Amino acid sequence: MRSLIVNKVRVGKLKSTRLLIVNLLFCSACSTVHQAQRAEAPVVERSKTAISKDAAAKPARTAPPSFRREPAPAASKDTAAKPAGTVPPSFRREPAPAITKGVAVKPPGTAAREERQRIVKSPSEISGNPAVIALLNEADFETRQGSDEDAVNAIERAIRLEPKNPYLWYRLAVLRFKNHQWQQAVALAEKSHSLSGRRPELQKANAELIRRARQATSNR
Amino acid sequence: MGAKRRSRFRVHIPWYVHITVILVCITLGHIAWLDFRIQSEFKGKRWPLPARVYASPVEIYIGQALTPGKIEKLLLDLGYKKVSVVNRPGTYQRAPSQVRFMQREFHFWDGRQDGQLIQVRFHNQKISQILDLNLQRTMPLARLEPTLIGRIYPDNFQDRVLVAQADIPSSLIGALLAVEDRNYFHHAGIDFRGILRALYSNISSGRVTQGGSTITQQLVKNFFLSRERTLTRKANEMIMALLMERRYGKEEILTAYINEVYLGQQGKRSIHGFGTAAEFYFAKPLNELRLDQIALLVGMVKGASFYNPRRHPARAKQRRDLALDLMFQVGYLDEATRVKAQSLPLDLSAKPRWSFSKYPAFLQFVKNQLLREYDIEDLRTKGLRIFTTLETDRQDVAELTTLDQLKKLERAKSLKPGTLQAASIFVQSSTGAVLSLTGGRNADDVGFNRAMHARRSIGSLVKPFIYYSALTNPQQYSLVSKVNDADISIRLADGAYWQPKNYDRKNHGRVSLMEALAKSYNKATVNLGREVGLKKVIDSIEKTGGISNLEPFPSLLLGAFELTPLQVSQMYQTLANGGFFVPVNSIREVLDEKGRALKRYSLDVRQALQTEAVFLTNFMLVQTINHGTGRSLYNIIPDKLPLAGKTGTTNDLRDSWFVGFGDDVMGVVWLGRDDNQSTLYTGASGAMKIWGNIVKRQNMKRIELSPPPGTGLLDNVNLPFGQSCITFSSIPYLLGSRPESIDTCVH
């Protein structure tokens, strides 16, 4: 079994060096995520205190809201710069892309705009969970090896760990699309879309995938 | 005259020659026939191998909330042994904040996982590091081998774990040869010296201590011949042993013997082969057994029930020591090893609690799913390995809690013990994977599986789908729209009038949709359902999957139709999964005997309900727990953990239902009686208590409602709610249909 994922190894000497390199890359990816999380931590704190103040001001006994609402600073600035008509006001306060944590450390503006054009994200941008990152790396590896089935396995394992991560569902949709399973590609992209909150780049990618899959179905 | 002529050519052959020729012919024919049998049956010998069913493997990863104690329990369940130095697969050592273990090799559906030496460190009740000690590098995640939870046996109930020739420990061969057949590698199938030696030893000791049968003879006997002790059988046995030796190699015969031999019984299940016996008596794979343990098993070949180490430990130990003596005699052991091995205790594992399944109700569900795709004969004999979705720790909690809570509920209302029954299903919302399933109060009971087969009225569990149907029309309905909770009278087809009542026998006037659902008002719901239309409501329910042909009776609006808990779980899975249907399922992968995947069970989803309207509905279900009929859940679950849920109660309190979900786990609990009499409990006072106590011990995550694209939030709305005025920090709505006027209140 060719695999990067660390718990099933049958490594020869050659493979172990390769794994070492991958591992080093992986560690650097991890540290980026950690930095990203650290950088963002105060923001999250602030939003939390804002909520609790909010609650303290009111006498009612409402439970803490169960929305994901941490604002992502870089992205919200970006959208604020857009013409007001395209983005309804409520949108701005919508859930923080917990997942774009990696993006948040980048300086807002140009980098963020570039980001939006790039649909394919690196594993460490998709998730902050090392296990999910490892599985995504494995999926990438398997895809490069041409074994999509194993890539699907890895993504499904990742989804079991982080089922509300829209990027994982998108990745699965792409793999199905590659495999000419148009209907499933559409359904999975829709699922990704439903979880996409305010991630226009992902929404665009999903819409594109759905369009192409539908086209393929009608061509058939 | 004719006779005379013939007699001219006649050569006189004595009668005994005739007889001899005939006899030789018969004998040769017989031998040829035996040879044919050996070749046809042994060559293609396929033991019927039971299917083995596994639970979901536990994944451990950095950042996971897990304690050293929990991992230790997982390892112990898998038969790992605590040692001071981890040096063999299946062993572990534990320090206060770290656990080190060596994994066993295991064939997963996505490849082989080798035995790695792993060290897990903990910090603040979480895993902080996973280290592969051989390669000296950190791992983000590791997968433990899954627990075996059931077997599907062949008709003869023989259980057998095949051991390949390469995997046979040399000590087993040494012990077998010493005890059963010393000249095995030198004789031709029959060992005349062995017979003489046995004879001598039996005569000199005055009793039968040794048999003269070779391993080949024993195998032939087990394979082809009856158990009767006759000379003919003995003769056939000898001939066939000789033939077999001519046809097949020593190793091949020995391997077959090791897999064939009978070594014990558990109810109907018979234990065949050393691989199975190692698992049965020591809960370990054969290659992890110690020398003395192997000697014990070899000693048992002579009489598995007579030397049963669990029933006759002293006798078995004596036999083991004799086996070790014999091994010493033939020079396989040195004196020190023998003495040490003989000083060791038997070290048996606890007798397995189950022979068919550890979790019969769940296994029944698995089998049900399998039978749709596989032939029963294949399931029983092909040695399939079936990987399921069951999470054993959740299942254990569900079983124990159900029984415990039922006893408490019975005591509280002075019901006779055993009156109440319950069933539960917990599912991962996003994948539909069944995490636990109970079919009754006693988990070991293999009888009526209520989760799958008890069809009961669902009562108020239907209501969210009525509100959902309304919310799919955002121009007309929002969460704060009003609906009239007032008297209603519907003329039925038979001319009678149907006049539903509220549970508290009161009318509540004009109430918001949110309040009406959270407080489960019947009249408001029926009014809303009539406004929306029965057809639309039925359509929504049927779209969730698993239900069809609902009759359009108005009473449907109060759940006057029967579903099994399993069907209810499918209904709510679609809701909990944001409107996406995934079949509730229990199988991840099926591998054949050689480890090839037979069928992939991929994660297939289908959009069944509208994401936005589902989101609004789920928001209301959170309010049901916060302010509605599910409030008392927080007497059980601490910290007001945000959860969504719905209670259900049917007429005369016959059925008490609760469905609830957190971030990614959804659970259904039904409480009722087999005689369909009153349970004396409502959904909230009965089923919800069981649900809450299960969830409390399962680490359920708070529900995170991510507003889908196309929704907005109203901030800080004071809304009348029953007798009080409640401030909602946010109420969602669909973009483009922001509620214009809201009936607010002042504190």
Side-chain angles (χ1 to χ4, degrees):
Chain A
M1 173 86 199
R2 318 149 312 260
S3 159
L4 287 186
I5 182 96
V6 231
N7 67 345
K8 28 169 189 169
V9 199
R10 216 185 325 169
V11 207
K13 267 179 193 159
L14 195 131
K15 271 196 175 174
S16 72
T17 50
R18 198 166 61 186
L19 268 164
L20 193 72
I21 295 166
V22 171
N23 200 33
L24 283 173
L25 283 175
F26 168 73
C27 283
S28 64
C30 281
S31 62
T32 326
V33 174
H34 280 300
Q35 277 168 18
Q37 281 169 341
R38 236 176 283 138
E40 213 203 13
V43 180
V44 177
E45 279 312 306
R46 219 186 304 138
S47 74
K48 265 189 192 156
T49 47
I51 288 171
S52 59
K53 247 189 246 160
D54 204 35
K58 307 292 176 212
R61 312 146 296 259
T62 43
S66 42
F67 295 112
R68 294 199 200 156
R69 257 222 217 188
E70 312 108 60
S76 57
K77 262 182 208 165
D78 201 47
T79 38
K82 279 184 159 186
T86 52
V87 183
S90 67
F91 238 50
R92 224 174 295 152
R93 297 179 288 100
E94 280 203 349
I99 292 126
T100 42
K101 275 172 185 164
V103 190
V105 280
K106 289 188 178 178
T110 51
R113 219 165 292 136
E114 268 170 36
E115 185 58 42
R116 212 177 318 122
Q117 279 155 16
R118 196 156 59 88
I119 294 158
V120 182
K121 287 178 176 278
S122 76
S124 59
E125 287 168 316
I126 289 178
S127 171
N129 179 341
V132 172
I133 295 173
L135 287 164
L136 283 166
N137 278 324
E138 184 187 356
D140 284 344
F141 178 80
E142 300 291 1
T143 310
R144 276 198 302 278
Q145 298 289 311
S147 94
D148 285 348
E149 197 74 332
D150 289 326
V152 166
N153 253 324
I155 300 277
E156 286 186 3
R157 243 174 113 186
I159 285 178
R160 284 198 167 81
L161 298 177
E162 234 172 46
K164 294 227 170 154
N165 186 332
Y167 290 97
L168 300 180
W169 291 97
Y170 173 70
R171 290 285 299 271
L172 199 55
V174 172
L175 283 167
R176 292 267 189 265
F177 184 87
K178 263 182 75 183
N179 216 5
H180 297 204
Q181 292 165 285
W182 315 120
Q183 263 187 353
Q184 264 311 297
V186 170
L188 290 163
E190 276 169 347
K191 173 78 186 163
S192 168
H193 179 77
S194 77
L195 296 168
S196 65
R198 198 181 50 64
R199 295 183 191 87
E201 92 291 351
L202 182 61
Q203 284 161 11
K204 235 169 86 184
N206 276 317
E208 176 66 13
L209 189 74
I210 290 170
R211 191 186 62 75
R212 285 172 56 194
R214 290 223 168 105
Q215 203 174 31
T217 322
S218 59
N219 283 352
R220 197 171 40 174
Chain B
M1 192 182 116
K4 230 176 186 182
R5 194 175 291 168
R6 248 185 269 134
S7 72
R8 207 181 290 163
F9 299 102
R10 201 166 148 183
V11 182
H12 183 75
I13 299 172
W15 62 270
Y16 50 85
V17 175
H18 275 283
I19 303 277
T20 312
V21 167
I22 290 168
L23 277 180
V24 166
C25 284
I26 289 176
T27 313
L28 285 177
H30 184 65
I31 290 174
W33 180 67
L34 291 179
D35 190 42
F36 170 76
R37 269 186 71 189
I38 289 174
Q39 285 198 65
S40 59
E41 290 183 40
F42 186 76
K43 190 68 189 169
K45 180 71 183 176
R46 288 275 170 272
W47 283 283
L49 296 177
R52 297 161 75 78
V53 185
Y54 294 92
S56 175
V58 175
E59 308 241 21
I60 54 175
Y61 50 93
I62 296 169
Q64 190 183 17
L66 208 63
T67 56
K70 187 89 186 291
I71 288 214
E72 185 172 21
K73 188 186 169 288
L74 288 169
L75 293 174
L76 284 173
D77 284 351
L78 290 169
Y80 278 61
K81 195 170 159 38
K82 192 172 185 170
V83 292
S84 48
V85 179
V86 177
N87 52 5
R88 302 201 300 168
T91 57
Y92 78 94
Q93 95 192 52
R94 188 190 158 176
S97 65
Q98 106 182 17
V99 175
R100 186 182 282 194
F101 59 95
M102 194 182 278
Q103 285 190 297
R104 297 180 180 130
E105 183 190 301
F106 192 85
H107 283 265
F108 280 99
W109 55 89
D110 53 358
R112 198 179 72 170
Q113 180 169 302
D114 285 356
Q116 289 164 291
L117 182 57
I118 290 175
Q119 176 175 294
V120 185
R121 279 177 191 278
F122 299 84
H123 186 66
N124 286 339
Q125 314 273 316
K126 277 187 176 170
I127 294 179
S128 59
Q129 189 194 40
I130 306 173
L131 200 63
D132 180 333
L133 288 173
N134 290 338
L135 297 169
Q136 279 300 323
R137 42 164 211 166
T138 59
M139 312 163 63
L141 81 165
R143 186 161 55 173
L144 302 183
E145 72 238 39
T147 323
L148 181 73
I149 55 165
R151 301 185 191 83
I152 303 170
Y153 291 106
D155 290 333
N156 56 12
F157 295 101
Q158 289 190 358
D159 191 12
R160 189 173 272 113
V161 182
L162 278 193
V163 181
Q165 194 172 314
D167 299 334
I168 299 173
S170 62
S171 55
L172 174 60
I173 297 177
L176 266 180
L177 263 49
V179 176
E180 293 293 330
D181 190 354
R182 290 187 187 183
N183 293 325
Y184 178 68
F185 282 104
H186 308 293
H187 62 62
I190 305 170
D191 183 13
F192 292 104
R193 282 209 326 234
I195 293 171
L196 287 178
R197 192 181 53 239
L199 207 64
Y200 171 74
S201 125
N202 291 350
I203 289 167
S204 62
S205 68
R207 59 200 174 95
V208 181
T209 57
Q210 284 188 29
S213 288
T214 62
I215 282 178
T216 321
Q217 281 172 287
Q218 293 181 38
L219 179 66
V220 162
K221 185 175 75 186
N222 291 347
F223 257 12
F224 304 107
L225 302 169
S226 62
R227 301 231 163 259
E228 56 182 337
R229 300 181 96 167
T230 61
L231 273 178
T232 340
R233 201 218 62 187
K234 196 75 191 166
N236 276 340
E237 178 188 304
M238 287 183 161
I239 297 167
M240 287 175 96
L242 291 168
L243 289 168
M244 179 141 350
E245 291 271 352
R246 262 178 56 84
R247 293 276 174 202
Y248 303 102
K250 288 279 182 191
E251 276 82 11
E252 210 172 339
I253 295 170
L254 194 59
T255 308
Y257 178 82
I258 283 169
N259 285 312
E260 168 59 37
V261 69
Y262 168 79
L263 286 166
Q265 194 78 27
Q266 180 191 19
K268 277 183 171 175
R269 169 194 184 202
S270 57
I271 311 296
H272 283 262
F274 282 90
T276 331
E279 203 178 72
F280 182 63
Y281 293 107
F282 301 107
K284 284 186 190 341
L286 184 59
N287 56 18
E288 284 179 28
L289 295 194
R290 294 192 311 248
L291 180 70
D292 58 295
Q293 292 171 322
I294 285 187
L296 176 79
L297 295 183
V298 169
M300 287 169 61
V301 170
K302 196 175 165 204
S305 63
F306 187 77
Y307 294 110
N308 182 341
R310 289 204 177 94
R311 206 171 303 151
H312 313 291
R315 196 189 284 166
K317 187 164 182 302
Q318 215 177 0
R319 178 75 188 164
R320 177 197 77 176
D321 292 348
L322 177 70
L324 288 164
D325 283 339
L326 291 171
M327 288 166 82
F328 171 70
Q329 268 177 34
V330 298
Y332 187 81
L333 302 181
D334 57 35
E335 176 66 20
T337 318
R338 181 188 66 139
V339 171
K340 181 161 183 289
Q342 288 181 337
S343 71
L344 291 168
L346 290 180
D347 270 346
L348 299 170
S349 63
K351 187 174 184 198
R353 279 198 305 123
W354 55 275
S355 58
F356 289 84
S357 173
K358 197 173 178 187
Y359 306 112
F362 177 74
L363 198 75
Q364 214 177 351
F365 180 55
V366 172
K367 247 171 124 171
N368 207 43
Q369 199 186 334
L370 285 170
L371 283 176
R372 271 181 250 151
E373 286 143 14
Y374 299 90
D375 193 51
I376 181 72
E377 232 11 68
D378 289 350
L379 287 181
R380 288 169 168 221
T381 61
K382 291 278 170 69
L384 303 183
R385 292 160 73 234
I386 296 149
F387 292 91
T388 71
T389 56
L390 187 87
E391 296 192 353
T392 51
D393 48 344
R394 286 181 193 272
Q395 177 71 26
D396 290 337
V397 165
E399 289 182 358
L400 292 172
T401 312
T402 302
L403 184 58
D404 181 53
Q405 288 297 314
L406 285 180
K407 284 180 181 163
K408 282 188 180 146
L409 292 170
E410 282 164 353
R411 235 175 290 141
K413 300 268 184 194
S414 311
L415 287 165
K416 209 175 97 201
T419 315
L420 295 179
Q421 278 291 354
S424 72
I425 302 167
F426 282 79
V427 171
Q428 184 177 34
S429 325
S430 53
T431 61
V434 174
L435 307 174
S436 74
L437 185 150
T438 62
R441 62 186 287 141
N442 293 318
D444 299 336
D445 184 6
V446 284
F448 188 44
N449 189 334
R450 291 160 195 83
M452 291 169 67
H453 302 303
R455 290 172 55 85
R456 297 302 185 114
S457 293
I458 65 165
S460 304
L461 292 190
V462 74
K463 284 179 185 161
F465 300 92
I466 298 163
Y467 289 77
Y468 161 82
S469 307
L471 290 166
T472 53
N473 181 1
Q475 302 310 323
Q476 208 172 341
Y477 297 101
S478 74
L479 295 187
V480 293
S481 308
K482 294 285 179 174
V483 57
N484 204 4
D485 188 59
D487 284 341
I488 192 167
S489 184
I490 299 170
R491 199 190 151 99
L492 301 175
D494 60 2
Y497 284 89
W498 182 54
Q499 293 169 317
K501 302 263 180 303
N502 277 330
Y503 186 73
D504 60 3
R505 308 277 153 189
K506 287 181 193 150
N507 290 354
H508 306 88
R510 289 178 61 76
V511 291
S512 66
L513 290 198
M514 237 164 64
E515 181 187 342
L517 180 59
K519 301 223 167 215
S520 206
Y521 297 148
N522 287 339
K523 293 179 181 179
T525 305
V526 172
N527 272 324
L528 181 69
R530 303 235 305 156
E531 276 173 42
V532 173
L534 271 180
K535 197 171 162 297
K536 203 169 167 191
V537 172
I538 290 175
D539 188 48
S540 303
I541 297 171
E542 292 185 345
K543 270 186 183 155
T544 62
I547 310 155
S548 53
N549 302 324
L550 285 179
E551 299 275 0
F553 297 128
S555 61
L556 171 135
L557 296 170
L558 294 181
F561 57 97
E562 293 170 344
L563 295 180
T564 63
L566 189 63
Q567 285 174 307
V568 170
S569 76
Q570 182 67 71
M571 240 168 111
Y572 273 80
Q573 179 279 327
T574 306
L575 208 57
N577 193 23
F580 287 85
F581 166 83
V582 183
V584 169
N585 62 85
S586 61
I587 300 168
R588 263 201 215 172
E589 206 82 30
V590 177
L591 304 187
D592 70 5
E593 194 193 331
K594 298 210 167 62
R596 287 173 305 213
L598 288 181
K599 182 175 191 273
R600 255 199 67 76
Y601 293 80
S602 53
L603 180 52
D604 290 345
V605 302
R606 191 183 79 224
Q607 175 131 36
L609 303 178
Q610 292 178 18
T611 308
E612 298 81 10
V614 166
F615 168 69
L616 298 181
T617 309
N618 289 347
F619 178 84
M620 292 197 284
L621 293 179
V622 174
Q623 304 317 318
T624 305
I625 305 296
N626 268 336
H627 308 293
T629 50
R631 263 188 332 269
S632 57
L633 185 62
Y634 290 130
N635 298 341
I636 304 168
I637 292 178
D639 303 331
K640 285 210 144 198
L641 185 79
L643 296 169
K646 185 74 197 86
T647 55
T649 313
T650 60
N651 289 347
D652 307 324
L653 309 178
R654 288 174 204 269
D655 305 279
S656 156
W657 290 92
F658 186 76
V659 183
F661 48 98
D663 202 35
D664 199 37
V665 175
M666 188 278 302
V668 180
V669 172
W670 167 83
L671 167 74
R673 292 172 57 158
D674 283 348
D675 59 10
N676 213 0
Q677 296 303 303
S678 174
T679 59
L680 309 181
Y681 285 102
T682 63
S685 63
M688 193 171 77
K689 269 200 183 141
I690 301 176
W691 191 92
N693 279 292
I694 292 174
V695 162
K696 190 170 84 174
R697 294 166 63 189
Q698 280 191 349
N699 254 332
M700 191 178 260
K701 285 194 202 129
R702 52 182 283 161
I703 186 163
E704 303 270 1
L705 289 175
S706 331
T711 46
L713 297 175
L714 299 169
D715 265 353
N716 300 321
V717 187
N718 296 329
L719 217 59
F721 216 83
Q723 301 298 316
S724 46
C725 179
I726 294 176
T727 305
F728 291 91
S729 53
S730 51
I731 294 179
Y733 64 92
L734 298 194
L735 291 182
S737 55
R738 188 188 170 107
E740 293 291 316
S741 58
I742 306 173
D743 180 15
T744 53
C745 56
V746 218
H747 288 289

